[in-house]
Amino acid sequence: MSNTLLKVDGLKKSFSIPDGMFGKKKMLKAVHDVSFHIPEGKTFSLVGESGCGKSTTGRLISRLLDPSEGEIWIDGEEISQRKEAQLKVMRKKVQMIFQDPYASLNPRMKVRDIIAEPLAIHTNLSRAERYQQVSEILEIVGLSEYHANRYAHEFSGGQRQRIGIARALILKPKLIIADEPVSALDVSIQAQILNLLKDLQSEFHLTYLFISHDLSVVEHISDHIGVMYLGTIVESGPKEVIFANPKHPYTKALLSSIPIPDPRLRRERIILQGDLPSPVNPPSGCRFHTRCPIAKDLCKTTEPAVHKDDGKGHMVACHFVEY
Ligand SMILES: Nc1ncnc2c1ncn2[C@@H]1O[C@H](COP(=O)(O)OP(=O)(O)OP(=O)(O)O)[C@@H](O)[C@H]1O
Ligand SMILES: [Mg+2]
């Protein structure tokens, strides 16, 4: 049995936002109640439409944001309430990769210094030692020494993401949180970067939290998938189960929008009505009931319990689920 590298339990985050004029405030519940875990060396993907709280979840786990409630266990340590001074070890273990590598790479620094920066912050290595490590990591991510002396704007999108990955890897982290790492790239480049991430995972025994709005992107890289809707995980399970036997009407709708390459196969397209409701005033009962094709009166009043099929690790939060 492998160790659990990341465990999140009852995670919540509300933001205080302005409510009209006169300095009033209201609360936006970006993450309502999120729990999941990732075994060491595995990939868990969080999937859901824009605004459902995926990035907020990633930023809470990496403690770029302070949680309102809940526990975050990383490599056996609970870090949800730690102050900055006590987060140093954790900051080495957890690194992030972002959607827009250009925005996250300093335009005035040479690639060599961008990648070496975390070493300068977290280690006592000499400059020569740091640059030696940069050379090695450039090779590992499919770039070369020749690229080290250049600036980020001189690279293509795919190459920039390789630089972002090199920077994330240089401290030999255990957990990588990849927030839409391929969403800004062409489809052919997406596949290259996803393959690179998969190779790096087996080479360095990395654990991934992969965030995407697109289920088809996470299909090959994931071991486990959590489908998020308006701040909560409505269904989670092993990738094969989610793709072959989805139970939640929201997951079914997301899956139905993925084109199937074989024209002989047809999947009925489920089109959801309306937009994601506001996280300031989420619907009562089941948060999905306002857009759910099978909602009944019960769904308007009562939040569904999570049904677990423990044999397969499949969990569904719906009143009308049947295994
Ligand atoms: N710092 C903040 N202050 C106020 N509201 C915020 C803040 N960060 C996020 N939100 C709100 O929280 C909700 C969840 O946002 P989040 O960025 O986590 O969604 P997401 O699932 O990552 O969406 P996307 O797919 O568009 O990246 C949104 O309604 C967003 O407007
Ligand atoms: Mg996001």
Side-chain angles (χ1 to χ4, degrees), residues 15 17 28 30 49-56 180 279:
F15 294 105
I17 58 168
L28 183 152
E49 71 202 288
S50 182
C52 71
K54 305 177 299 291
S55 295
T56 305
E180 306 269 9

Side-chain angles (χ1 to χ4, degrees), residues 6 12 34 69-71 84 88 114 125 146 150 162 178 197 203 214 221 224 242 255 258 261 285:
L6 172 70
K12 296 188 184 184
V34 164
E69 272 181 57
E71 294 183 358
E84 191 54 46
K88 206 153 186 214
I114 291 176
L125 295 177
Y146 155 81
R150 307 186 158 265
R162 288 175 196 268
L197 287 170
E203 191 170 347
D214 185 347
I221 197 155
H224 223 85
I242 296 291
L255 274 170
I258 302 177

